[in-house]
Amino acid sequence: APDEYYDPLPPISAEAVASTLAGMPSQPAAPPPPPTPPKLDSKRSEAHKGAAPRFRMSILTDYAGVVSETVTDERLPAHVEGEENNEDNLEFRTLLNFEKVGRGERKRCVMCGREAEAEDRRRAGCEPQCCVIPKQCKDVCDACTKSTWRHRATDVYFKWCQGCKKFRSIPAFANKRHTAKCDACRKRGREGYHKKVKKNKEDESPAK
């Protein structure tokens, strides 16, 4: 005979089993299937398929400078683009929110005050918050060159022109304000392009 005896376990009711099962965690859901890669358009050229992605430059839209502030399209008065192009009050140094730093110091944007991280956005990466001050932009970062500005003292609205390398009043961009160059620079570019095409055709045509 065994040395020790144990009392028999009480019977377990169906309700107790159901209650125990209800308190147990359910099995984890199956992971979602991996996303289907997008299909390449067969009509696109092989060169275009392998092209590097374009770098997106940020646009400063909410900077309230002491001298000049950025404005969005909603805040731009409707009559501004139709005004006569008068740039008597657009002296470069009077529009700046910050002084230009001295030689040997780290560059700083004269409009938003951010310190430069690179001169080329490809080297800075695609992050829009990176401050990039390209060469020949008079210490204006690429974000500020894309923005529309308002001079507080004179209520003049202006924007940077990549062709003139200076600030121009909004009426100078009347035909296409969201481009990098003013109307005059775009016109000169078209004329130069047509002259080049015409010259190439004349050079290719056989002499009579």
Side-chain angles (χ1 to χ4, degrees):
D3 297 333
E4 297 180 359
Y5 295 92
Y6 297 91
D7 295 333
L9 295 174
I12 301 175
S13 63
E15 292 78 3
V17 174
S19 177
T20 302
L21 293 177
M24 296 178 61
S26 59
Q27 294 184 355
T36 304
K39 295 182 179 180
L40 294 176
D41 188 354
S42 59
K43 296 182 180 180
R44 298 172 63 191
S45 65
E46 292 298 327
H48 190 81
K49 291 178 184 177
R54 299 190 179 196
F55 293 95
R56 298 177 181 177
M57 288 190 289
S58 60
I59 301 178
L60 200 64
T61 58
D62 56 354
Y63 183 77
V66 176
V67 179
S68 300
E69 64 175 346
T70 57
V71 294
T72 58
D73 291 346
E74 294 77 14
R75 292 180 55 200
L76 185 69
H79 64 84
V80 170
E81 293 183 287
E83 289 179 348
E84 183 180 353
N85 187 20
N86 185 1
E87 299 184 339
D88 295 339
N89 297 325
L90 279 183
E91 186 178 355
F92 180 76
R93 64 180 182 83
T94 64
L95 306 174
L96 310 182
N97 290 315
F98 297 89
E99 293 288 340
K100 187 176 180 179
V101 298
R103 182 175 297 179
E105 298 181 46
R106 187 174 181 179
K107 278 188 177 183
R108 178 185 66 185
C109 178
V110 292
M111 298 305 291
C112 67
R114 296 185 300 165
E115 290 188 346
E117 300 179 48
E119 292 181 345
D120 190 332
R121 181 151 293 278
R122 289 172 294 181
R123 296 180 181 178
C126 295
E127 297 297 329
Q129 64 268 22
C130 291
C131 179
V132 178
I133 301 181
K135 294 181 179 179
Q136 300 180 350
C137 277
K138 299 182 179 179
D139 287 359
V140 181
C141 75
D142 62 354
C144 291
T145 60
K146 304 285 284 186
S147 304
T148 302
W149 295 84
R150 170 184 170 268
H151 188 232
R152 292 178 180 271
T154 59
D155 202 33
V156 172
Y157 293 83
F158 59 95
K159 185 177 178 290
W160 180 265
C161 174
Q162 291 287 12
C164 301
K165 299 298 181 184
K166 66 178 183 179
F167 286 119
R168 301 290 311 272
S169 63
I170 291 302
F173 299 84
N175 290 332
K176 206 168 185 181
R177 182 168 61 84
H178 292 287
T179 57
K181 297 181 180 181
C182 65
D183 293 348
C185 287
R186 292 173 58 246
K187 182 179 179 181
R188 286 195 297 268
R190 288 193 302 269
E191 292 175 350
Y193 172 78
H194 292 315
K195 288 181 181 179
K196 183 178 179 180
V197 171
K198 182 178 179 181
K199 184 177 183 305
N200 291 339
K201 288 183 178 180
E202 292 175 351
D203 294 341
E204 293 174 358
S205 61
K208 295 182 180 181

